[in-house]
Amino acid sequence: MPPEDEAQLVRQAAQGERAAFAALVERYWHWVYRWLCGWTRQPPLAEDLTQEAFLKAWRALPSFQPGASFRAWLFSIARNALLDSQRGPRGLPTRPLPAQTAAPSGDPAEAAEQNEGAALLEQAILRLPAHFREAFWLWSQDDLSFAEIAQVLGLTEETARWRVFKARLLLVKGLGSYLDSRLP
Amino acid sequence: MKCSEVNAWLLVTRPTAPTPGPVRRHLKFCPRCRRRRRRLLHLERQTCALWPAQPAAVAPARLMQQLDAPVVPPAAARPSAARPWLTTAAAVLLGLGLGWLWFRAPVASPPSTPEPAPFVAAPTREADEQLLVKFIDHNLRLAQSYDASEQVGVLSRMETDLRAEAVRLARQGQAQELPLIAALFDRVVNRGLVGRSHHLPPAERSRQLSRLTEQMQKAEAEVNQVAQEMPTHLADFLKPLTRAARQAAAQLTQDADPEPAFEPLPRLTAASGNARALVAMLVSHSLLLVEEDDPLQRASYCGDVADQLTVALLLASSGGDNERAGRLGKHLEAVVNRGVGENLNRLQASNDPRAAVLQQVIGRVNRLVAALEQSLAAGQSPETAGYDQAKALEHELKDLEKALREAGKPKGPGKLEARGTVRSIDPATGRLVLLAKDKGKEFELTLLFPTDVKVRGPGPLERSLSEIMTGTAIRATLRDGGHITEIRIEGKPLR
């Protein structure tokens, strides 16, 4: 979606146009959901939180500063919803997802290999310090820039860049042999 | 380019991003880095596949149904119409750091019919760099000026330069660049000039106000004139300038009292290192400077500018553009010395010991700038010339920025500390000269303390001033304007 189209949709949604907001939901739902899945590791909870985040966004649209990054703003709301949920009764220890998280494959052997790889990667990500993991997860979503990640996490751009740098460095180090085995 | 630099680039860049020439050349000959890149590519793919990209399709539909629940209609509470200039400016300025490239994408269609020569787009990089030089100069003048008349003079020149730039861009058909310049223009005239006009000395206020009003009217007339020569789609981009000039002229004519209440200004960054992004950052920081009287805070704003120039310098250096890196190094030196340094000198002149601590950092920054310039002048290979020094400089500037921010905060105990051995102490004048060490280098700090300063240690016991003598190792806690509030004796000799 070109940025000017998105800005137009945001303006219209802020004026109460549901169709415009629906288009924004369509555009960003799966990114927010996916990010929350990564954090909570519980798809039903992630879905609830995504819904909550969009509802809050709809209500808060009048306070959105035109010209700012809408997606960064939206991820900030999702992050706050997540933090709120961790304080309440939903803030229970997360359970790992069933192994079938990677894209399903027609070939059982390949599917098993994919699952094994996904589990390894998931473990490596979970081992990252929380502040690195948070920045890395955002970086993995929808091409968020460092400036946007900084906006979501309330950091400077340089710190956001540093955290992503460290997270990726640690992951590559931790997964070196696995990643090498996957290289052509 | 070194492997470590390529690795750093790979780690913060998406695989889809274009590969700069120096990185490409390095990868061609370095199997290790090629393998690193493949690993990262694989990591990226695996991460994308880790979580399902699509949730149940009904979820968004359910959400839309929930919107029917009673909520405050967004349009009813929308506040931005009350301050249109701010939203226009914010729209451009706040998005600048993250969306510079977006701004460069054309937002206006090219003229549908052939246009006369003045509308033909021309390369603008040189013009952008010239504009940057002007705004560095304006920023430095404002960094050193505490006088409203002088500030108004500089702001007037900023208005003239921005207006000329807008006209140039319009004539060259570069509509996509105009919203930013218009927003900066608006901010300079309606915040800078109108705001500062309230601080002019009464003796010259009336004369200055009529001069400024005339300047605004002239600006409106000139831009209108240019707009009339333009195709409609370009003329529309000039309208915000005429509106801003008209609004400023009206406010200056009315000479409204009191001064309008302004929203806090953002401390803009220029992540792209691009000349125009730097100009926007300089305008924003220039306005911050004129609205600030505390030398320490002003030094902090100049520290921001230095930091952003270092980022630009690093980008230029890593991209092999040594010439630009050299120019930016000169700007950086000027900002560090004339901006940060001069404001700290003012602080030091008022016997504020915070300045002494901060001056040490300035010294290190200056040494690094000098080393950087030598490297660039020596013509090292384009990819690496000055890069290491620039990185070290960036690190120092971060220290400086941190120290400035810390020194500017309301202090809790221990926010700013000086550690070293006592070279001399005079309880009668409350002056203590400390021989401090920082990163292996020794320097002297002159600190002030009140007669009732608390002296403690070693251990929790309270001590008296008379126990401190030459050679005593101490740690001084500074606050409330940098005066010592507590001295902790850390080692002998004790009297």
Side-chain angles (χ1 to χ4, degrees):
Chain A
M1 184 186 295
E4 56 269 36
D5 289 0
E6 184 179 283
Q8 173 76 8
L9 285 175
V10 173
R11 267 197 302 277
Q12 289 170 347
Q15 283 160 5
E17 279 190 38
R18 276 152 200 257
F21 188 66
L24 291 169
V25 172
E26 187 74 20
R27 165 78 178 84
Y28 286 113
W29 178 281
H30 70 277
W31 292 112
V32 175
Y33 169 79
R34 195 167 166 270
W35 181 65
L36 288 166
C37 255
W39 264 111
T40 62
R41 305 165 71 220
Q42 298 178 61
L45 175 57
E47 193 174 312
D48 281 355
L49 290 173
T50 310
Q51 183 149 324
E52 200 176 311
F54 275 99
L55 278 171
K56 283 182 176 168
W58 167 250
R59 286 168 198 162
L61 265 170
S63 67
F64 177 74
Q65 285 287 324
S69 164
F70 174 76
R71 58 185 180 172
W73 180 74
L74 184 61
F75 273 99
S76 309
I77 293 175
R79 181 173 179 257
N80 288 337
L82 173 68
L83 294 177
D84 285 347
S85 79
Q86 287 171 344
R87 287 189 202 107
R90 285 186 292 182
L92 298 167
T94 53
R95 288 175 287 109
L97 279 175
Q100 193 67 36
T101 52
S105 158
D107 178 356
E110 199 182 322
E113 200 179 319
Q114 276 179 359
N115 285 341
E116 189 194 7
L120 272 173
L121 177 59
E122 194 192 345
Q123 282 165 23
I125 292 173
L126 284 173
R127 278 198 301 270
L128 289 173
H131 54 293
F132 289 161
R133 190 163 73 235
E134 193 174 37
F136 171 76
W137 263 125
L138 279 170
W139 196 77
S140 309
Q141 309 304 313
D142 197 20
D143 289 343
L144 280 181
S145 67
F146 289 115
E148 288 170 309
I149 294 171
Q151 193 183 329
V152 176
L153 300 180
L155 306 170
T156 64
E157 198 178 328
E158 269 311 298
T159 310
R161 190 188 303 271
W162 168 249
R163 288 187 183 179
V164 171
F165 171 91
K166 284 296 286 185
R168 297 189 85 209
L169 186 67
L170 290 171
L171 285 175
V172 170
K173 274 187 183 166
L175 293 166
S177 53
Y178 163 68
L179 292 172
D180 282 344
S181 72
R182 306 283 299 180
L183 293 177
Chain B
M1 220 171 176
K2 293 176 193 164
C3 287
S4 59
E5 289 160 2
V6 171
N7 193 27
W9 184 87
L10 289 170
L11 282 165
V12 293
T13 311
R14 293 179 197 282
T16 48
T19 313
V23 176
R24 208 169 40 240
R25 283 194 292 278
H26 180 97
L27 288 171
K28 195 172 170 186
F29 298 106
C30 180
R32 223 172 99 199
C33 287
R34 276 205 302 278
R35 196 176 67 167
R36 275 189 190 133
R37 184 169 67 166
R38 285 203 302 272
R39 278 180 174 183
L40 284 166
L41 185 67
H42 187 58
L43 175 69
E44 186 85 1
R45 284 188 190 143
Q46 287 288 102
T47 312
C48 284
L50 195 56
W51 302 105
Q54 294 291 342
V58 293
R62 249 198 342 254
L63 168 77
M64 294 313 292
Q65 281 166 8
Q66 282 213 10
L67 295 187
D68 291 322
V71 292
V72 180
R78 191 164 183 77
S80 56
R83 42 192 165 91
W85 74 269
L86 180 69
T87 49
T88 312
V92 178
L93 293 172
L94 289 178
L96 183 73
L98 37 137
W100 182 251
L101 289 173
W102 179 77
F103 269 115
R104 296 197 70 85
V107 295
S109 319
S112 54
T113 50
E115 297 298 341
F119 304 136
V120 174
T124 60
R125 187 173 162 178
E126 200 181 322
D128 287 355
E129 295 292 330
Q130 282 168 5
L131 192 69
L132 174 61
V133 172
K134 285 182 185 169
F135 277 84
I136 289 272
D137 185 56
H138 295 324
N139 184 267
L140 286 173
R141 283 177 196 280
L142 291 175
Q144 292 173 293
S145 168
Y146 285 72
D147 175 75
S149 306
E150 267 179 50
Q151 292 171 346
V152 164
V154 179
L155 289 164
S156 295
R157 289 197 287 282
M158 285 170 74
E159 181 277 321
T160 311
D161 287 339
L162 287 169
R163 188 187 347 148
E165 177 66 2
V167 169
R168 183 185 73 81
L169 290 171
R171 286 194 194 284
Q172 292 187 346
Q174 296 184 51
Q176 72 274 22
E177 307 283 1
L178 277 166
L180 171 67
I181 299 297
L184 297 176
F185 178 87
D186 186 4
R187 197 159 263 196
V188 166
V189 298
N190 281 309
R191 177 154 190 161
L193 282 174
V194 171
R196 283 294 94 188
S197 69
H198 288 266
H199 298 261
L200 288 167
E204 56 179 274
R205 188 171 158 78
S206 160
R207 183 180 55 81
Q208 287 268 35
L209 283 180
S210 45
R211 185 187 67 77
L212 289 174
T213 309
E214 203 178 309
Q215 183 176 342
M216 290 302 104
Q217 287 163 346
K218 192 181 148 203
E220 186 189 351
E222 186 195 334
V223 179
N224 259 334
Q225 174 72 35
V226 175
Q228 281 168 15
E229 300 163 12
M230 298 281 148
T232 318
H233 77 272
L234 277 171
D236 284 349
F237 282 95
L238 289 170
K239 281 183 185 163
L241 278 105
T242 53
R243 204 165 41 236
R246 191 164 52 246
Q247 193 184 340
Q251 290 196 70
L252 290 163
T253 314
Q254 286 166 4
D255 188 15
D257 209 28
E259 182 184 1
F262 295 118
E263 298 274 330
L265 278 164
R267 290 171 84 148
L268 275 193
T269 57
S272 67
N274 177 307
R276 209 178 294 270
L278 287 168
V279 166
M281 181 273 296
L282 287 165
V283 169
S284 170
H285 278 77
S286 296
L287 295 176
L288 283 166
L289 282 167
V290 296
E291 291 174 14
E292 183 59 63
D293 289 328
D294 177 12
L296 187 63
Q297 191 57 43
R298 282 170 150 250
S300 172
Y301 292 145
C302 296
D304 275 0
V305 172
D307 197 28
Q308 296 303 311
L309 286 171
T310 313
V311 172
L313 194 154
L314 273 171
L315 289 168
S317 176
S318 62
D321 190 347
N322 275 5
E323 200 187 325
R324 183 164 197 254
R327 278 200 307 274
L328 289 166
K330 294 268 181 222
H331 297 328
L332 179 60
E333 190 179 13
V335 170
V336 169
N337 290 317
R338 287 171 58 194
V340 185
E342 290 285 317
N343 277 295
L344 290 182
N345 283 343
R346 188 177 273 257
L347 197 68
Q348 207 161 27
S350 61
N351 275 335
D352 191 328
R354 290 177 298 176
V357 178
L358 296 167
Q359 286 287 12
Q360 305 308 317
V361 189
I362 300 279
R364 293 202 300 269
V365 168
N366 271 327
R367 283 194 290 279
L368 280 162
V369 172
L372 173 65
E373 282 176 353
Q374 271 179 5
S375 297
L376 291 168
Q380 291 179 4
S381 68
E383 293 87 354
T384 57
Y387 190 82
D388 292 341
Q389 286 96 333
K391 280 306 284 183
L393 184 59
E394 191 188 24
H395 182 72
E396 287 296 341
L397 281 167
K398 284 206 188 313
D399 277 1
L400 173 65
E401 181 58 20
K402 197 173 155 196
L404 287 167
R405 282 185 198 270
E406 283 300 315
K409 279 184 194 167
K411 297 291 175 287
K415 283 285 179 193
L416 192 63
E417 286 181 341
R419 210 169 194 158
T421 53
V422 175
R423 172 155 276 193
S424 69
I425 179 165
D426 183 357
T429 58
R431 191 174 289 264
L432 181 150
V433 179
L434 191 68
L435 190 63
K437 256 192 180 177
D438 184 35
K439 298 190 178 171
K441 291 200 172 66
E442 282 191 333
F443 55 93
E444 270 187 14
L445 284 178
T446 303
L447 302 169
L448 300 172
F449 58 89
T451 47
D452 61 344
V453 65
K454 280 184 190 161
V455 181
R456 294 180 192 277
L461 291 178
E462 218 164 282
R463 304 274 179 171
S464 80
L465 268 174
S466 61
E467 290 184 81
I468 302 173
M469 56 186 286
T470 305
T472 305
I474 64 158
R475 189 173 78 216
T477 304
L478 312 172
R479 66 174 176 185
D480 300 331
H483 290 68
I484 298 177
T485 54
E486 186 181 295
I487 298 174
R488 181 164 283 275
I489 297 171
E490 294 197 312
K492 291 181 177 181
L494 293 173
R495 183 172 286 158

